[in-house]
Amino acid sequence: MADFVLGMHPLLKQEAINRNIQELLGHQMIADTLLTKSTSATLATRYMVDGDQDAFGRKTYEDVPELGEASALRRIGVTEVEKSEMIRRYGLEFVVTYEMQKWGLGSHLQRGLRRLADNVANMINTMAYKKITQDYTVAGSPTSVQIEGKVKAGSFWNDATLGAENMIADLIDARANARKFGFELDTVIMSPDIEAMMLKSKTFRDAFRVNNTDVALLRGYIGDFMGLTFISDPRFGDANDTVLLVQRGVIGDIVDAEGLRTKIYNQEEQDRTVIRVTRFTAVQLVEPKAVYLIKNVLS
């Protein structure tokens, strides 16, 4: 490599970096799955929250009268409350030294890109979870702008005999509660510790059986159960015994002023190339009653 030029390694081409980052992110961007993706032309975004609610956040209904043959239909309006959210810049850089480019293995760069992608996913998902769960807070008597949930003091999921029944009861209660507000919960987010506890428990696997087949053990993950999609994410939770239920795509928005962007530049004075990944984004919780948080599911 007598004609070596800093930053000209084949793996440092813009197209290669973009492809690698996207592949490494894969399905890690849970926030983009749970929220509605949107864009903004400014560094602040405005959004509307339904104002037609009672003191507990339940939707209010208008009378729909019976009509005569020549009667005019009654007209209704929509009351909305305007709110705003600042879009913030998130980003990281990874340094590729002269030595790595000239004599290093391609695996060195791949490990660096994997670490970069993992950290990008972590910063976005962690920010989103805190916003969605209102910093993992469950109020005793939630107001219309607070999420729903419970803090368990018994009937734990890791009970050797009744663990699966306790989980089912909590999921049913969560869905029934959301339906009072007009929502249908369809997604469960949990920590890998809770998923592992379920997969190791025969009582849970029996509950997950399909046509008398232990599908959870065969697949190695829970998948769908009771009309809910279970997602295990190590980035979720202020503790390993917290579970989140949401209606995916309804709870709010993730707004990008600039989506995931990579940039590659040289620092000639230090003989190194820098890979930068940034995203200008914000998360806004629009429907707090489509969120249900269960804390202390494990004893």
Side-chain angles (χ1 to χ4, degrees), residues 177-213:
N177 184 84
R179 284 170 178 161
K180 292 191 300 184
F181 301 102
F183 299 105
E184 285 288 340
L185 303 181
D186 55 20
T187 305
V188 178
I189 312 294
M190 59 188 172
S191 71
D193 286 348
I194 295 177
E195 180 189 44
M197 180 274 297
M198 291 179 178
L199 292 175
K200 289 188 289 186
S201 169
K202 189 176 185 304
T203 58
F204 275 93
R205 296 201 310 272
D206 286 345
F208 297 145
R209 282 180 177 271
V210 176
N211 297 326
N212 205 31
T213 301

Side-chain angles (χ1 to χ4, degrees), residues 138-164:
V138 176
S141 300
T143 65
S144 61
V145 295
Q146 292 176 306
I147 65 171
E148 296 289 309
K150 68 167 70 171
V151 180
K152 294 176 66 66
S155 301
F156 299 112
W157 291 16
N158 56 345
D159 183 283
T161 305
L162 298 174

Side-chain angles (χ1 to χ4, degrees), residues 34-157:
L34 301 182
L35 298 150
T36 302
K37 295 183 70 173
S38 185
T39 59
S40 174
T42 65
L43 289 179
T45 176
R46 294 185 304 168
Y47 62 102
M48 300 295 183
V49 177
D50 188 2
D52 291 324
Q53 301 174 343
D54 63 16
F56 302 101
R58 293 175 295 201
K59 294 181 183 296
T60 56
Y61 296 94
E62 302 281 351
D63 290 332
V64 183
E66 180 181 346
L67 299 173
E69 183 176 342
S71 299
L73 274 68
R74 180 181 177 184
R75 294 180 178 178
I76 62 173
V78 177
T79 303
E80 291 184 318
V81 179
E82 182 179 305
K83 295 191 175 184
S84 63
E85 184 76 36
M86 291 299 298
I87 290 179
R88 294 172 173 83
R89 183 191 190 197
Y90 299 88
L92 288 171
E93 292 185 338
F94 170 64
V95 174
V96 186
T97 65
Y98 173 88
E99 291 80 5
M100 290 175 63
Q101 296 179 49
K102 188 168 184 178
W103 295 291
L105 299 175
S107 59
H108 295 170
L109 181 58
Q110 283 298 118
R111 281 194 291 273
L113 291 176
R114 184 178 300 112
R115 184 170 177 80
L116 191 60
D118 288 346
N119 280 280
V120 168
N122 179 69
M123 69 181 180
I124 299 298
N125 288 335
T126 300
M127 176 268 295
Y129 288 141
K130 286 187 176 181
K131 179 68 72 171
I132 293 169
T133 63
Q134 295 177 337
D135 208 11
Y136 297 99
T137 301
V138 176
S141 300
T143 65
S144 61
V145 295
Q146 292 176 306
I147 65 171
E148 296 289 309
K150 68 167 70 171
V151 180
K152 294 176 66 66
S155 301
F156 299 112
W157 291 16

